Amino acid sequence: WQQPIHPGLDQLKQAYEATQPAADGFYRTFYAEELLRQGKKDEAKKLAARWPLPDSAGEPVLQSMVFPKYVELRRILGL
């Protein structure tokens, strides 16, 4: 219970690559976060450098939870 469950890096990469750029904010954020967690800071930084706003796809409630995560990720990466 103490350890968070993380989807596999490959799963997140596939989802990110399969999503249109105008709607990839959700997957981009979680993929970059997992890259950072695995020590791949430079790759994560490239993903977090841009995010097409507003994200035109997905459930608005989920999008509202992703934005603070994205902002925090950018802060950690020094963007």
Side-chain angles (χ1 to χ4, degrees), residues 19-27 51-52 54-63:
T19 306
Q20 293 295 320
D24 72 0
F26 181 85
Y27 291 113
W51 181 9
D55 194 338
S56 62
E59 180 64 37
V61 172
L62 291 177
Q63 294 302 323

Side-chain angles (χ1 to χ4, degrees), residues 18-55:
T19 306
Q20 293 295 320
D24 72 0
F26 181 85
Y27 291 113
R28 172 185 294 273
T29 301
F30 284 95
Y31 180 39
E33 182 181 51
E34 184 63 14
L35 284 167
L36 179 62
R37 193 181 76 77
Q38 292 190 16
K40 300 176 181 181
K41 186 176 180 177
D42 290 339
E43 290 179 60
K45 202 170 191 174
K46 288 177 190 173
L47 287 174
R50 78 167 185 88
W51 181 9
L53 289 175
D55 194 338

